[in-house]
Amino acid sequence: MKLRLATSFLAIGVLTLTACGGNTEGEPETPESALTIALSTPTPTYEMPAPAPSPSKEEEAASSTNHAPPPEPAPAVAPAPAEPQISASQRNAVRSAEQYIDFMAFSRTGLIDQLEFEGFSTEDATYAVDSLSADWNRQAELSAEQYLEMMSFSKSGLIDQLEFDGFTRAQAEHGANVAYR
């Protein structure tokens, strides 16, 4: 299949060239003579490749059994959520809470009270304690064991002491039950 460039585009180009001073012979050129030149100039031809023949049904069946299926696209990875900006006071309260809980057992409210005693605001202390994701039942167990190492308690007395320290009734009972095994 051959395509010819349209001669009108070539004629427009020659007319533009002539208008810009493209005539070097010094003769005035008319649009008709420019068109004659344009039409007499050979136009390049371009060969377009013939379309590939479509495969027969047998070839399609053979190719589908001989080739692995195309890989599935990788799932889109969601960007990691941005970490919330925290104040210097909150960052220091978190570090202090981590140090306290690594050193000894605390209830949630007991640790908040300790951080407030240290000078942190209630908001910063609460933020710090809640950021720990501590197992408060485990903290009740450790606290109950520490109490029993220092002094003697009845089970009910130990539960009362753990509640006084800020553990919930359920956490205090859990801690006392584990410590009394």
Side-chain angles (χ1 to χ4, degrees):
M1 182 186 290
K2 291 185 179 184
L3 291 178
R4 288 197 177 265
L5 294 176
T7 55
S8 61
F9 289 115
L10 187 57
I12 291 170
V14 172
L15 289 173
T16 306
L17 180 62
T18 304
C20 295
N23 183 357
T24 58
E25 297 174 10
E27 299 174 11
E29 213 169 294
T30 64
E32 291 82 20
S33 63
L35 183 56
T36 305
I37 293 170
L39 292 174
S40 64
T41 306
T43 306
T45 59
Y46 296 95
E47 293 279 334
M48 293 211 31
S54 56
S56 68
K57 292 186 182 197
E58 294 81 24
E59 290 172 332
E60 284 182 9
S63 67
S64 67
T65 57
N66 293 339
H67 299 290
E72 292 185 24
V77 177
E83 290 196 21
Q85 296 295 326
I86 63 171
S87 68
S89 182
Q90 288 172 324
R91 189 171 38 257
N92 287 331
V94 168
R95 266 189 277 170
S96 188
E98 288 170 341
Q99 291 169 350
Y100 274 116
I101 211 154
D102 286 344
F103 177 69
M104 65 186 307
F106 279 92
S107 67
R108 180 182 178 278
T109 58
L111 187 52
I112 290 171
D113 290 344
Q114 180 61 39
L115 293 173
E116 287 174 337
F117 178 78
E118 202 175 301
F120 290 104
S121 70
T122 302
E123 295 79 20
D124 289 346
T126 303
Y127 173 84
V129 171
D130 289 344
S131 73
L132 293 179
S133 66
D135 180 353
W136 300 114
N137 280 333
R138 178 70 181 136
Q139 291 298 308
E141 294 170 13
L142 294 172
S143 186
E145 290 168 356
Q146 289 170 353
Y147 274 121
L148 289 178
E149 286 175 7
M150 292 186 307
M151 59 188 72
S152 299
F153 278 94
S154 67
K155 192 172 184 180
S156 64
L158 183 57
I159 292 171
D160 291 341
Q161 181 62 45
L162 292 173
E163 281 184 293
F164 179 79
D165 289 345
F167 290 102
T168 65
R169 179 75 182 181
Q171 292 166 346
E173 288 174 355
H174 173 80
N177 288 335
V178 170
Y180 259 85
R181 285 190 199 162

